[in-house]
Amino acid sequence: HLPALPEAILLVGASALMIFDLYVKDANRGATLWFAQVVLVLCAAATLFVLWGSGGNRYLIFSGLFVADAIS
């Protein structure tokens, strides 16, 4: 299920970001910004890794509910 890696990172990162933001004081909101940027960079890196590893092939996973190819 490697082609779904970027979406999984985004899901976990966004959930962690919302929980992290609950406990950050108003004076330290910059930490939330940096955490969000790190999540986005990890998603971009995972996307490039999946594209490089798949060689541009089309994958249907999760019983055909998830399509991973160069266009999507």
Side-chain angles (χ1 to χ4, degrees), residues 10-11 14 23 29-30 35-36 38 44-45 47 53 61 65:
L10 183 61
L11 173 68
Y23 298 105
R29 289 289 177 200
F35 189 80
V38 167
T47 300
I61 56 174
L65 296 174

Side-chain angles (χ1 to χ4, degrees), residues 1 3 13-14 16 18-19 23-24 27 29-30 35 40 44 54-55 58-61 63-64 69-71:
H1 302 298
M18 288 187 283
I19 293 171
Y23 298 105
V24 174
R29 289 289 177 200
F35 189 80
L40 291 175
S54 69
R58 182 176 182 212
Y59 291 101
L60 294 172
I61 56 174
S63 299
D69 57 13
I71 295 175

Side-chain angles (χ1 to χ4, degrees), residues 6-57:
E7 286 83 357
I9 290 174
L10 183 61
L11 173 68
V12 171
S15 299
L17 178 66
M18 288 187 283
I19 293 171
F20 176 75
D21 192 51
L22 285 173
Y23 298 105
V24 174
K25 304 282 187 217
D26 285 336
N28 295 330
R29 289 289 177 200
T32 304
L33 169 71
W34 286 107
F35 189 80
Q37 296 301 316
V38 167
V39 170
L40 291 175
V41 167
L42 287 174
C43 287
T47 300
L48 293 175
F49 175 73
V50 168
L51 284 175
W52 174 74
S54 69
N57 296 329

